[in-house]
Amino acid sequence: MPSRLVVLVSGTGTNLQALLDAATDPAYGAEVVAVGADRDGIEGLARAERAGLPTFVVRVQDYDDRDDWDAALTENVGAYRPDLIVSAGFMKVVGKRFLERFPMVNTHPALLPSFPGAHAVRDALDYGIAVTGCTVHLVDAGIDTGPIVAQRAVEVLDDDDEASLHERIKAVERDLLVDVVGRMCRHGWSVNGRKVSLGE
Ligand code: GRF
């Protein structure tokens, strides 16, 4: 049986699309069973709808506090009985309740622990870095602090701006995410301290 993925998005969803495309091959070992978002009207949700997948939106502003929002997100996600949650450009930090219930990976457009947070590409560029990249990591209670599963490097070019650099990172990021999620689903993973090993 393929592993059941719920993918969470906040934007254009090109990482989601890469997972959807990979999962058309039964040998991939995982299928996307639903896509959730923290906002309406985004291309990520449209991609899911075009793929015939159920979608749901859980907006922070519709709840009294973050804990209620987290409970609602947990309930919506849980309805799809996922084996793994993929945060693919999901711009919210999930709460304790969510993380106690589901394993989750996030993709981040920098080489963590450098440049965590929502403006990683801009921050790396402003710092004057020569090599950056992307990271797939397990999600813990912090902001981009969970154990690293895999990383790939991307060179910064002299004439890069935030948009051009982010596009080149995203091309590498999509491949890495597809590779890592597939391996996790096919072979399992274990965590020893901060060290993540793929395969039992
Ligand atoms: C990715 O670079 C992700 O790491 C970052 O936002 C981007 C999302 O891209 N947090 P997309 O929505 O998958 O196209």
Side-chain angles (χ1 to χ4, degrees):
M1 288 291 281
S3 294
R4 299 171 63 83
L5 306 177
V6 168
V7 182
L8 300 179
V9 295
S10 299
T12 55
T14 63
N15 281 282
L16 162 67
Q17 189 67 54
L19 288 167
L20 292 172
D21 294 347
T24 59
D25 180 354
Y28 184 61
E31 60 176 351
V32 180
V33 295
V35 174
D38 62 332
R39 62 197 74 187
D40 299 295
I42 54 172
E43 179 61 15
L45 289 173
R47 288 176 192 276
E49 280 154 19
R50 288 198 293 272
L53 289 172
T55 62
F56 56 91
V57 176
V58 188
R59 304 185 326 152
V60 170
Q61 57 266 45
D62 293 339
Y63 296 88
D64 286 343
D65 57 33
R66 280 300 272 242
D67 196 52
D68 282 359
W69 172 78
D70 191 56
L73 185 69
T74 303
E75 195 182 312
N76 273 269
V77 168
Y80 296 100
R81 295 177 289 107
D83 299 303
L84 179 66
I85 314 302
V86 182
S87 161
F90 186 60
M91 303 305 282
K92 289 283 181 300
V93 176
V94 299
K96 193 162 168 264
R97 184 194 320 253
F98 191 96
L99 292 175
E100 276 169 1
R101 183 137 167 218
F102 313 113
M104 182 177 189
V105 291
N106 178 49
T107 175
H108 182 75
L111 293 175
L112 293 170
S114 294
F115 311 112
H119 306 292
V121 179
R122 188 194 313 165
D123 293 346
L125 208 50
D126 288 351
Y127 194 88
I129 210 152
V131 176
T132 184
C134 51
T135 302
V136 176
H137 64 94
L138 299 177
V139 177
D140 67 8
I143 297 176
D144 302 323
T145 51
I148 290 167
V149 187
Q151 297 184 298
R152 276 188 203 161
V154 173
E155 200 177 338
V156 179
L157 305 180
D158 281 346
D159 58 353
D160 262 333
D161 58 17
E162 186 181 350
S164 66
L165 179 57
H166 200 171
E167 276 313 308
R168 286 209 320 291
I169 291 171
K170 280 174 63 167
V172 176
E173 195 179 4
R174 290 190 282 268
D175 276 358
L176 183 66
L177 184 67
V178 164
D179 178 54
V180 168
V181 167
R183 284 161 60 202
M184 288 175 77
C185 292
R186 290 190 303 274
H187 308 301
W189 69 92
S190 58
V191 188
N192 185 0
R194 289 202 55 88
K195 178 87 188 141
V196 181
S197 305
L198 297 181
E200 293 307 335

